[in-house]
Amino acid sequence: MILKIVKYPEAVLSQPGEPVTEFNAELRKLVADMFETTYASQGVGLAAPQVGASKRVTVIDLSMGKEPKDKLVLVNPEIVFQEGKQYEEEGCLSFPDIREKVARAAKVRIRAQDERGKWFEKAADELLSRCLQHEIDHLDGMLFIFRMSALKRNLNLRKIRKMQSEGKW
Ligand code: NI
């Protein structure tokens, strides 16, 4: 089922997600729906708060549905190690048409549970590293617009207000 993606400044996007304690059919349905929603939106990642569920769940697939082995489900994820810096363009499905360079760690190692509750670790660099940091930020109520410089943030907030006033947001 394709879920509705909420847009900034919907309150749920700024709230930290609740840790997941039950690894049941409801969770697996949420994960399946989140993948379907990501693909339908041509995205590479989606966090549960973006579909109105304030839970620490995110899905990532850099292949956009082409490589089953690229599907990543992260439940209760945390960054356990990071190093270096990268500064590349990002977008977010809750900010349609906004793309901006954001400073991130170059490499990360994360720890998370899969949809059955099993813990695993994963190391990543480049785009996957950026994507992991962006999605884990969502679970802490942190949005990429607040990782931009004040100048870029204000320009983009103005752009959003203009789109809102024109009924395009
Ligand atoms: Ni996002």
Side-chain angles (χ1 to χ4, degrees):
M1 188 173 82
I2 297 172
L3 306 170
K4 183 179 182 285
I5 297 177
V6 300
K7 282 183 284 212
Y8 177 83
E10 199 83 41
V12 68
L13 292 173
S14 300
Q15 292 159 3
E18 289 288 325
V20 172
T21 53
E22 304 228 25
F23 295 83
N24 52 18
E26 189 191 333
L27 174 68
R28 286 188 284 280
K29 169 90 168 93
L30 174 66
V31 165
D33 288 346
M34 284 172 64
F35 273 118
E36 201 180 331
T37 306
T38 306
Y39 299 146
S41 316
Q42 315 261 293
V44 293
L46 188 66
Q50 293 182 276
V51 291
S54 196
K55 292 181 181 176
R56 301 187 71 82
V57 179
T58 173
V59 302
I60 292 174
D61 183 353
L62 297 189
S63 81
M64 299 171 91
K66 291 183 191 81
E67 286 286 342
K69 66 172 171 46
D70 282 1
K71 286 175 80 169
L72 258 182
V73 177
L74 307 174
V75 181
N76 301 325
E78 50 192 80
I79 294 170
V80 292
F81 172 80
Q82 61 183 68
E83 69 174 1
K85 280 198 170 73
Q86 58 170 316
Y87 186 61
E88 297 295 336
E89 207 174 71
E90 287 181 22
C92 178
L93 293 174
S94 294
F95 291 82
D97 297 329
I98 305 285
R99 295 197 64 84
E100 201 65 77
K101 282 192 171 187
V102 176
R104 300 282 185 190
K107 295 182 181 182
V108 290
R109 173 172 281 275
I110 63 102
R111 181 175 177 267
Q113 284 168 285
D114 66 16
E115 61 195 322
R116 302 205 173 259
K118 189 169 176 283
W119 285 97
F120 65 96
E121 285 200 9
K122 187 164 184 70
D125 59 9
E126 300 187 348
L127 175 59
L128 184 56
S129 169
R130 205 152 69 233
C131 197
L132 286 164
Q133 292 170 76
H134 179 113
E135 300 308 335
I136 293 173
D137 262 358
H138 270 297
L139 308 186
D140 294 325
M142 168 56 90
L143 299 169
F144 86 134
I145 200 159
F146 297 105
R147 295 273 188 209
M148 295 173 192
S149 66
L151 180 70
K152 296 263 180 69
R153 175 164 59 248
N154 288 331
L155 283 171
N156 282 302
L157 286 172
R158 216 174 304 153
K159 191 174 164 187
I160 291 166
R161 276 195 294 271
K162 184 165 180 286
M163 285 192 275
Q164 283 170 326
S165 70
E166 293 166 350
K168 293 175 187 163
W169 185 263

